[in-house]
Amino acid sequence: MPLALTRYIFWQSAGPFAIATFVLSGIIWLTQALKMLDVLIMQGQTVSAFFELSLLALPTAVNSVLPIALFLALVYALNKLITDSELVVMFSAGVSRWTVAIPVMMLTAITVALVIVLNLWLMPAGMRTLRVKLFEIRGDVATSLIREGAFTNPVSGLTVYVRSRTPEGGIRGILVHDGRNPDEPVTYMAETGEMVRTPEGPRLVMYNGNIERVTRKATKTESPVTLLFFDKYTYDLSQYASTEQISPWEVRERYLDELFNPASNDLYGQRMKARLRAEGHDRIVAAIYPIMFACIALAALLPAPFNRRGYALRIGIAALATIVARVVGFGLVNAAVNQPLLIPVIYLTPLLVCAASCALIAGFRFDQVRRRIEAWTA
């Protein structure tokens, strides 16, 4: 096959593949980003933090759409080559179906490599980092408390207000009302201040202010209000920080060796050992699904005779076959959690679909087999 023809078919498929991957990944990325947006708004994070977290979730989105994008791109490219009569010319010039499939399989090989890299390294690494970042954001008391022009309530009975923040990081117009003890509410007010992070935790340092303490159970001879002026006062914010420890890595956050061989001191891994094993096999078999999708697309359109009405029926059957095969794959992975004997079937299902598709590409007619079986049984 001439190199120019190989390049032509490859780029006819690669262009739609890149576009489909970009569009589908963008849709999934947007849904995940919107889920994180509420957390970032509530915690007072910046736009850069939002995009950082969104990028960490991107490998998972891309990994999910790559086989689908490949199937859509191949169906579009092959249908275009047929309707433009380019495949007819190729076949008339003596080019075989397998020769046409070579550039398609080159693109499929690239997709398989991307799926392997994403599944085994980038996706678990991104999910781990994302989880750690979200844990740090939820525990960032200083950022959630000090929000310009807003009253914040980190815990019940505590209210913090900051009028403005300076470009240098200073704070102006501070009010902290601690009413957790209803009998002795305390109000701190200061003209300026700053947030200081220490090894012991965050501190709010206030300047030129006063502390108003109200004693509701004061006797008649005592003043119920005590007012204390200060030049500098340090308010400890670490008492409001979360003491929760990050939990063990979940299924999607583990690398392949951690799925098959969880550590002996990993309680979560030992308890979920069957689930982790099924996920590990699913990660491996994921590399076969782009090949299966490509074979189905080739089997649907390469042997197709010329039809002026188009190939919508063949494309629909191919799409249905991919959906059924993928759903069956998901079902087998879930069933293998309780039935380890089904693990070989996880690999066998896409391989059988690939074999049947290759038989159709080679010109094998399953209807002839049916007729022969009916004749033999008769």
Side-chain angles (χ1 to χ4, degrees):
M1 184 178 185
L3 183 60
L5 191 57
T6 303
R7 286 200 304 265
Y8 176 74
I9 297 176
F10 177 83
W11 289 114
Q12 285 290 312
S13 305
F17 172 66
I19 295 174
T21 302
F22 178 78
V23 173
L24 294 177
S25 300
I27 294 173
I28 297 180
W29 172 81
L30 184 61
T31 57
Q32 294 179 346
L34 290 177
K35 293 179 182 178
M36 293 181 289
L37 189 60
D38 291 339
V39 177
L40 296 173
I41 291 175
M42 294 299 296
Q43 297 295 328
Q45 297 296 314
T46 61
V47 177
S48 61
F50 169 73
F51 281 106
E52 180 184 2
L53 296 180
S54 301
L55 289 176
L56 290 173
L58 192 58
T60 304
V62 175
N63 181 62
S64 303
V65 305
L66 275 177
I68 302 172
L70 177 66
F71 175 77
L72 296 176
L74 293 182
V75 167
Y76 172 81
L78 292 173
N79 183 64
K80 185 175 182 297
L81 290 174
I82 294 175
T83 54
D84 292 346
S85 300
E86 292 178 275
L87 278 184
V88 175
V89 174
M90 294 179 194
F91 293 153
S92 300
V95 178
S96 67
R97 296 175 183 175
W98 294 114
T99 307
V100 175
I102 289 176
V104 171
M105 287 304 171
M106 291 170 56
L107 181 61
T108 304
I110 295 174
T111 307
V112 169
L114 290 174
V115 168
I116 292 174
V117 172
L118 288 168
N119 256 314
L120 302 187
W121 293 287
L122 293 184
M123 186 183 73
M127 295 298 289
R128 284 189 176 196
T129 308
L130 176 63
R131 185 175 176 189
V132 172
K133 290 288 185 182
L134 288 174
F135 183 82
E136 292 175 352
I137 288 173
R138 291 189 178 99
D140 190 358
V141 180
T143 305
S144 60
L145 281 178
I146 310 303
R147 295 171 59 185
E148 185 176 1
F151 289 91
T152 59
N153 302 95
V155 294
S156 178
L158 181 68
T159 302
V160 180
Y161 175 80
V162 172
R163 185 177 70 243
S164 63
R165 306 186 69 162
T166 63
E168 296 79 15
I171 307 170
R172 297 184 182 276
I174 304 171
L175 183 145
V176 178
H177 177 73
D178 188 352
R180 290 174 298 170
N181 184 0
D183 296 329
E184 291 188 359
V186 184
T187 302
Y188 305 84
M189 289 185 290
E191 295 180 3
T192 59
E194 60 181 344
M195 183 66 63
V196 179
R197 299 180 184 273
T198 66
E200 293 78 20
R203 303 286 190 271
L204 176 60
V205 182
M206 296 178 281
Y207 304 99
N208 301 326
N210 62 76
I211 303 174
E212 182 182 283
R213 188 183 303 273
V214 178
T215 305
R216 302 190 187 279
K217 294 183 178 181
T219 62
K220 295 182 179 180
T221 59
E222 296 177 343
S223 174
V225 179
T226 303
L227 191 62
L228 173 66
F229 293 91
F230 60 82
D231 295 328
K232 178 182 177 181
Y233 184 84
T234 302
Y235 188 78
D236 185 10
L237 295 176
S238 61
Q239 56 185 314
Y240 308 115
S242 175
T243 58
E244 180 185 359
Q245 299 294 324
I246 190 167
S247 57
W249 303 120
E250 296 181 358
V251 177
R252 289 286 181 178
E253 300 163 350
R254 293 175 179 254
Y255 294 103
L256 193 63
D257 58 330
E258 297 172 332
L259 292 173
F260 286 114
N261 299 301
S264 57
N265 58 351
D266 183 2
L267 298 180
Y268 176 87
Q270 294 298 325
R271 187 175 70 254
M272 303 291 292
K273 201 168 185 178
R275 179 62 194 170
L276 296 180
R277 182 181 61 246
E279 173 67 18
H281 288 290
D282 188 39
R283 296 256 188 106
I284 297 174
V285 80
I288 305 178
Y289 279 103
I291 303 174
M292 184 192 75
F293 284 14
C295 289
I296 292 175
L298 290 170
L301 293 174
L302 274 188
F306 180 75
N307 190 347
R308 296 183 181 275
R309 298 180 179 179
Y311 303 91
L313 180 60
R314 282 179 169 267
I315 293 174
I317 294 174
L320 181 62
T322 56
I323 293 172
V324 171
R326 198 63 187 97
V327 169
V328 170
F330 284 129
L332 288 172
V333 170
N334 292 327
V337 175
N338 299 319
Q339 299 292 334
L341 294 177
L342 292 175
I343 290 176
V345 186
I346 296 176
Y347 297 89
L348 190 60
T349 300
L351 292 176
L352 288 176
V353 176
C354 291
S357 300
C358 290
L360 290 174
I361 297 172
F364 185 80
R365 298 289 298 275
F366 287 97
D367 57 341
Q368 293 179 356
V369 176
R370 179 177 57 82
R371 294 194 192 101
R372 291 179 182 177
I373 293 175
E374 291 176 352
W376 181 77
T377 54

